[in-house]
Amino acid sequence: MSAAPKTIPGAADRPFAFTAENQAEAERLIAKYPEGRTRSAVLPLLDLAQRQEGWVSRAVVEAVAKMAGVAPIMVWEVATFYTMYNLEPIGRFHIEVCTNLPCWLRGSEDVVRAARDVFGVDIGQTSADGLVTLSQAECLGACVNAPMAQIGDDYYEDLTYDRAKALFTAMKQGRTMHGGSQAGRRCSAPEGTLTTLTTDPTTPEGGRWIADSSPAAPGATADPR
Amino acid sequence: MPKLTIDGIEVEAEAGMTVMQAADLVGIEIPRFCYHERLSIAGNCRMCLVEVKPGPPKPQAACALPVAEGMQVWTQSDLARKARKGVMEFLLINHPLDCPICDQGGECDLQDQAMVFGSDRSRYREVKRSVTEKHLGPLVKTAMTRCIHCTRCVRFIREVAGVPELGMIGRGEHAEITSYVEQALTSELSGNIVDLCPVGALTSAPYAFHARPWELHKVESIDVLDAVGSAIRVDARGNAVMRVLPRLNEDINEEWLADKSRHAIDGLRYQRLDRPYVRENGTLRPASWEEALATVAGRLLSADPDRVAALAGDLADAEAMVLLKDLMDALGSPHRDCRQDGAVLDPHDRASWLFNPTIAGIEDADALLIIGADPRREAPILNARIRKRYAMGGFPIGVLGPATDLTYPVEDLGNDPHTLRALSSGSHAFWRVLTEAERPLVLVGMGALTRDDGAAVMGYARRLAETVGAIGDDWTGFGVLHTAAARVGGLEVGFVPGPGGRDTAGILEGAGSGAVEVVYLLGADEIDMDALGEAFVIYQGHHGDAGANRADVILPGAAYTEKTATYVNTEGRMQRTWLTVHPPGEAREDWKIIRALSSALEKPLAQGTLEAVRARLAAISPIFAPGNEGRVVPAEYRATHRGFSGRLDGAPFVSPVSNYYQTDPISRASRTMAACTDVYINGKTGAGKRTGTDG
């Protein structure tokens, strides 16, 4: 989590208005809440604006405040509370590398190093060409495929230094990137063959997990004592 | 009505009450920082943790826990005390230990509670966080490193003041209280967040490093800088008023105080009239009391009584006004007026110039029409009450007058006085709103009554109140909002033209034409001094303002903190100020000056003591009877329209208070109020920050 900026950035030098399409979406979002409760729409409106602008500027805060019928400070409170809102301009791609314990144990530092090698950026920096911003994220809930990074809305999992470098190179060259496991796993299925649930689930014992110490386990004596 | 036991005491609490409130009922005080009974519940400081059964085996926050039948609460058990001790340790982790240089020192909730729950040493070895100061305007000084994030200030500014400008940004260790883009708070009630702040994060900027609480002597008094008469406590050191704080009075100001009432007091130190002056060859020169009184007596005696007049200003007290009235009667002059702004008010009909529903009664109203008033600037405390009523819901508010932000949404009825005719005849949409209400309230401001067509406006407003059913046996929904603390008192003592006497306009016109030779100004500064022409002007007051500038003789009087004097607020509530410090130099209490003058005139008034003057007041009106201090004596509303007629003018209503921060001689002399004027009226930003090169 980065520290909240001391003052609201990007004085209203850059006007903001929703595109026609987003304006319709914004109105649909607001209409979901009853009269007098439009404050509830602040979160989705900020998200929508960030998708359009890339970040939440002062102009965005004021526009959203006006639409939701609250004071700008209330929107600013929300925008600074949630780490997913970018309060400063970011690159075209936002790479968020998870560095929490499971990912770190599985080599998240290599992912950061790959990004540094490909783009020349460190955590918290935007590349000189404005292509990427590298951030550090707290657990994104994909520990089973650690280490991982979120780029935009997609997860890229099972990264190693080489896989991350290949991924980032593809990004730099403008080639298509495929989300999910970079090791070719399907979701979080095990690599290679199944190591568990290998029995036939249709038989009486098949679907049941049997502990080795259980009397019912093959080879166990009836009375362990 | 759930019954519960708190520390073994059985309490019957109302359903929906919190454990904290139930404990308050039986006098058990639970420590707290974020909870405040007039603000919403935040539950974020965790200082009020108590042990509760039945429930989870962990302490719970008393401020946010609703009472339940059979609940058992322990506020002093080992579990509760240990929990609070832990909370205190966490609060102190980032709190600087700068009490010796903190203005809150000696009256700090955190300091006090740390004495009970704090440890004598810290286990925290890391670096404390520091937070940048925030610019909140010229009245509130910040030291945000001291903030414990109780959010009382945020809740007050949003809920009571009604200007959502403060917020808590960031989260966790990076949370900060700030205003949006560091702008100055635009509330007339902003000083209250200093009182609310339980630590020294928000302190009073004008009072910064001036005094310590234990050096001050504290006197309970009332405020006279608007017509509301808020209860205040004046803190003085030696013979200097250091600060003014609000005092609890549920009927008027609850526990809030408007910024002018709180911060204009440095004006009591500047521009003071501390000795008599006599004009000689066009310039004022210091004189002795004997000489000044002899000069005044000579002029008063040599003039034809019919060519002598008196005007009372906005800060005049009832004692001085009643003696001056009696003195004018003794001289034989009927020309006197306490309505220096020319407001059309019938002196014989109390109900026509009082705020009859009372300030607390606003909460009973269920519809409101504001005519020609800007309550936010004219009486911020009363406006806060209107906002409180608005926040309860079901309170349509219409405004016929200048369109300003009153901190609550209103239905703008435009600013054409002719609308009144449509309203009172029932052909206006808002008439129906008022009619459907059970207790409608019609509020008429001085912006509507100080005009040439004031009588017509008053007539229509009264007719409107009567036709919509605002006048009933238990509800008088017609109220006049005054802007001057002296006005109602002056009307009550009858400081109005006698038979054949001139009113303010008549006196000014007479002085200009030469028909009035001598004008006695009792603190009257807001009249057009040029209109006084060649008249001999006697000014009795405490500040060198417009009146003293024009005067031929100056008799130095006492300000409200320097005398024990009677004022009547806009509701008709008689209240008394209390002497805190002595008047400067040779200045004297106002009633004594007039009594001395009567002796110099060889027409000595019978009242030689303050008690005698007050007995005289009580003889004129029962509201001044000793038992009525602090009480409203209701006026009987009579549905007559004598004198309230005429044609409506098409000119829009204009509030008499164009600059809230400078309305009277005291606030005009105040540097703090001048700084506020710079920031809030003239729009100079950063005026609170001094560069060192600004002299």
Side-chain angles (χ1 to χ4, degrees):
Chain A
M1 189 187 81
S2 63
K6 298 294 179 236
T7 53
I8 188 161
D13 51 356
R14 210 168 100 122
F16 168 79
F18 279 120
T19 60
E21 196 181 326
N22 283 349
Q23 179 69 29
E25 173 66 7
E27 280 159 19
R28 191 188 68 79
L29 289 168
I30 292 173
K32 282 171 32 179
Y33 302 99
E35 187 93 4
R37 296 280 186 276
T38 48
R39 186 180 176 180
S40 305
V42 165
L43 278 173
L45 286 177
L46 280 174
D47 175 62
L48 189 65
Q50 175 164 298
R51 281 170 194 282
Q52 183 181 316
E53 292 286 286
W55 63 297
V56 174
S57 66
R58 178 171 164 186
V60 165
V61 167
E62 282 163 17
V64 167
K66 203 168 174 186
M67 290 187 82
V70 295
I73 183 73
M74 296 180 181
V75 177
W76 185 231
E77 284 179 327
V78 171
T80 55
F81 185 85
Y82 293 99
T83 55
M84 285 155 159
Y85 295 119
N86 305 313
L87 302 176
E88 276 157 20
I90 56 158
R92 215 182 106 214
F93 294 99
H94 190 195
I95 305 173
E96 297 171 87
V97 182
C98 173
T99 56
N100 272 181
L101 187 66
C103 281
W104 179 74
L105 287 171
R106 298 276 294 156
S108 65
E109 282 178 353
D110 292 337
V111 181
V112 174
R113 189 157 55 86
R116 195 182 298 135
D117 291 348
V118 175
F119 300 112
V121 292
D122 229 320
I123 286 169
Q125 292 176 343
T126 301
S127 62
D129 56 2
L131 186 70
V132 298
T133 296
L134 183 66
S135 306
Q136 176 175 291
E138 304 304 322
C139 183
L140 292 167
C143 313
V144 68
N145 291 1
M148 59 80 67
Q150 182 180 3
I151 303 173
D153 284 339
D154 295 326
Y155 279 12
Y156 295 80
E157 298 152 349
D158 286 332
L159 296 171
T160 59
Y161 176 79
D162 293 333
R163 287 177 195 149
K165 193 167 182 181
L167 178 72
F168 295 151
T169 309
M171 179 191 284
K172 196 168 187 178
Q173 291 169 351
R175 285 186 277 122
T176 319
M177 302 181 298
H178 298 285
S181 167
Q182 302 300 300
R185 278 204 280 168
R186 187 164 169 272
C187 298
S188 53
E191 280 181 275
T193 55
L194 290 178
T195 57
T196 182
L197 298 178
T198 47
T199 49
D200 181 359
T202 55
T203 61
E205 310 78 26
R208 227 166 70 217
W209 175 78
I210 300 164
D212 288 342
S213 60
S214 164
T221 54
D223 184 356
R225 282 170 299 177
Chain B
M1 299 272 279
K3 267 191 201 146
L4 66 161
T5 56
I6 303 176
D7 292 345
I9 302 171
E10 197 158 284
V11 188
E12 198 166 328
E14 277 174 46
M17 264 187 166
T18 62
V19 171
M20 175 90 88
Q21 288 168 327
D24 282 344
L25 284 184
V26 288
I28 295 171
E29 192 172 336
I30 298 173
R32 68 197 76 175
F33 291 116
C34 72
Y35 176 77
H36 192 278
E37 59 269 26
R38 287 176 214 280
L39 302 175
S40 62
I41 292 167
N44 53 13
C45 76
R46 314 310 288 178
M47 197 62 201
C48 62
L49 291 173
V50 291
E51 188 175 351
V52 179
K53 273 181 191 163
K58 58 174 188 172
Q60 302 205 47
C63 73
L65 181 68
V67 294
E69 182 67 41
M71 191 181 248
Q72 285 177 293
V73 179
W74 293 271
T75 68
Q76 299 296 334
S77 66
D78 287 345
L79 180 78
R81 292 182 70 87
K82 185 159 176 268
R84 281 182 216 147
K85 211 168 169 167
V87 167
M88 178 57 77
E89 186 170 13
F90 272 102
L91 286 175
L92 291 178
I93 275 181
N94 276 318
H95 191 81
L97 296 176
D98 61 351
C99 304
I101 57 154
C102 174
D103 254 345
Q104 192 84 356
E107 50 186 3
C108 175
D109 288 357
L110 188 63
Q111 208 175 26
D112 295 347
Q113 294 184 31
M115 292 303 290
V116 182
F117 299 105
S119 166
D120 59 348
R121 65 203 65 213
S122 174
R123 291 188 286 171
Y124 186 68
R125 295 282 172 266
E126 286 76 26
V127 177
K128 295 193 179 213
R129 75 172 199 151
S130 60
V131 183
T132 52
E133 308 311 1
K134 305 290 182 283
H135 173 61
L136 298 181
L139 300 177
V140 181
K141 181 175 183 283
T142 65
M144 299 315 284
T145 304
R146 298 176 188 146
C147 179
I148 58 167
H149 307 106
C150 68
T151 68
R152 273 187 186 181
C153 54
V154 175
R155 284 174 283 146
F156 174 84
I157 285 289
R158 286 181 187 178
E159 294 162 16
V160 179
V163 285
E165 292 170 352
L166 277 182
M168 184 162 75
I169 62 163
R171 61 151 95 167
E173 197 189 351
H174 303 286
E176 289 183 18
I177 302 289
T178 186
S179 62
Y180 185 67
V181 284
E182 297 262 310
Q183 64 194 0
L185 294 173
T186 61
S187 171
E188 289 75 19
L189 297 167
S190 65
N192 293 299
I193 62 174
V194 172
D195 291 345
L196 287 170
C197 185
V199 297
L202 304 175
T203 53
S204 167
Y207 174 70
F209 310 130
H210 277 61
R212 283 300 197 180
W214 55 85
E215 302 169 333
L216 304 168
H217 65 270
K218 302 155 177 90
V219 176
E220 300 196 341
S221 185
I222 62 144
D223 172 59
V224 302
L225 299 182
D226 57 32
V228 171
S230 303
I232 57 170
R233 192 187 87 193
V234 183
D235 286 6
R237 187 177 58 190
N239 207 37
V241 174
M242 302 308 291
R243 65 172 175 182
V244 163
L245 295 176
R247 200 155 50 84
L248 185 72
N249 187 338
E250 295 290 354
D251 293 329
I252 301 176
N253 56 321
E254 299 179 277
E255 59 189 87
W256 316 127
L257 190 59
D259 284 350
K260 181 170 56 186
S261 310
R262 187 191 292 265
H263 288 300
I265 45 152
D266 64 326
L268 293 168
R269 272 180 253 156
Y270 305 118
Q271 296 278 48
R272 289 304 301 269
L273 300 171
D274 57 356
R275 59 190 306 173
Y277 288 84
V278 172
R279 191 175 293 275
E280 199 173 71
N281 300 327
T283 53
L284 288 166
R285 66 163 173 80
S288 67
W289 270 111
E290 290 75 15
E291 186 191 355
L293 289 176
T295 311
V296 172
R299 285 302 302 238
L300 284 173
L301 288 174
S302 65
D304 176 356
D306 200 43
R307 296 162 83 84
V308 173
L311 283 173
D314 289 351
L315 302 178
D317 55 90
E319 285 90 347
M321 282 190 284
V322 74
L323 287 196
L324 186 56
K325 173 188 172 226
D326 288 351
L327 183 65
M328 297 303 282
D329 280 341
L331 285 169
S333 163
H335 310 306
R336 55 174 182 253
D337 206 341
C338 63
R339 298 159 295 184
Q340 61 166 354
D341 53 7
V344 179
L345 302 163
D346 178 3
H348 305 293
D349 185 0
R350 280 187 78 214
S352 74
W353 39 258
L354 288 184
F355 192 79
N356 294 296
T358 74
I359 293 168
I362 291 172
E363 290 178 31
D364 299 329
D366 52 5
L368 171 64
L369 174 64
I370 298 172
I371 301 171
D374 178 1
R376 178 171 173 189
R377 278 89 190 173
E378 293 170 21
I381 291 297
L382 187 134
N383 198 54
R385 197 67 84 125
I386 298 176
R387 185 179 154 74
K388 184 181 181 188
R389 174 64 190 86
Y390 151 76
M392 294 174 189
F395 191 50
I397 304 168
V399 172
L400 176 60
T404 57
D405 176 14
L406 294 176
T407 72
Y408 37 82
V410 299
E411 189 175 327
D412 188 358
L413 309 183
N415 195 2
D416 180 3
H418 289 121
T419 311
L420 265 179
R421 200 181 302 152
L423 273 166
S424 60
S425 65
S427 58
H428 193 282
F430 203 76
W431 181 85
R432 181 155 299 284
V433 176
L434 290 172
T435 313
E436 284 167 1
E438 269 177 40
R439 294 179 149 209
L441 170 52
V442 176
L443 186 157
V444 188
M446 284 299 126
L449 299 179
T450 54
R451 301 149 47 98
D452 290 340
D453 64 345
V457 174
M458 187 64 133
Y460 279 112
R462 283 170 64 93
R463 224 162 273 141
L464 170 63
E466 288 155 22
T467 53
V468 299
I471 312 298
D473 293 336
D474 58 344
W475 177 249
T476 309
F478 176 82
V480 173
L481 177 58
H482 289 268
T483 52
R487 196 77 75 244
V488 175
L491 291 164
E492 297 279 10
V493 302
F495 200 92
V496 290
R502 294 169 182 267
D503 61 6
T504 299
I507 291 168
L508 292 179
E509 186 268 322
S513 70
V516 173
E517 273 177 48
V518 184
V519 181
Y520 197 113
L521 300 180
L522 180 62
D525 286 290
E526 283 78 19
I527 52 171
D528 178 10
M529 294 297 163
D530 293 335
L532 291 172
E534 297 295 306
F536 185 83
V537 176
I538 303 148
Y539 181 80
Q540 176 183 342
H542 42 76
H543 271 76
D545 205 71
N549 200 30
R550 170 63 185 81
D552 293 292
V553 175
I554 293 173
L555 305 176
Y560 68 108
T561 50
E562 297 152 6
K563 59 188 172 189
T564 304
T566 305
Y567 289 87
V568 187
N569 82 348
T570 191
E571 306 164 282
R573 190 186 300 275
M574 188 267 285
Q575 303 187 102
R576 291 197 168 124
T577 62
W578 202 258
L579 183 141
T580 310
V581 296
H582 292 283
E586 295 175 30
R588 291 291 180 268
E589 289 187 36
D590 290 273
W591 74 269
K592 286 183 181 166
I593 296 173
I594 295 164
R595 175 65 174 65
L597 177 62
S598 74
S599 298
L601 285 165
E602 297 186 348
K603 296 179 193 300
L605 295 165
Q607 293 79 23
T609 61
L610 189 60
E611 289 66 38
V613 179
R614 290 189 172 163
R616 168 77 184 126
L617 281 172
I620 291 179
S621 169
I623 72 146
F624 293 110
N628 283 336
E629 184 170 351
R631 287 186 52 230
V632 171
V633 177
E636 192 193 335
Y637 186 95
R638 287 176 304 215
T640 59
H641 303 102
R642 183 172 51 85
F644 296 132
S645 57
R647 288 177 60 81
L648 283 171
D649 189 348
F653 296 127
V654 180
S655 169
V657 179
S658 57
N659 173 3
Y660 164 71
Y661 297 96
Q662 292 182 325
T663 54
D664 51 80
I666 297 173
S667 55
R668 279 192 292 266
S670 159
R671 294 183 186 179
T672 309
M673 291 295 105
C676 288
T677 304
D678 271 348
V679 173
Y680 298 116
I681 309 294
N682 301 331
K684 287 186 199 164
T685 51
K689 289 177 183 164
R690 289 182 172 265
T691 58
T693 56
D694 52 355

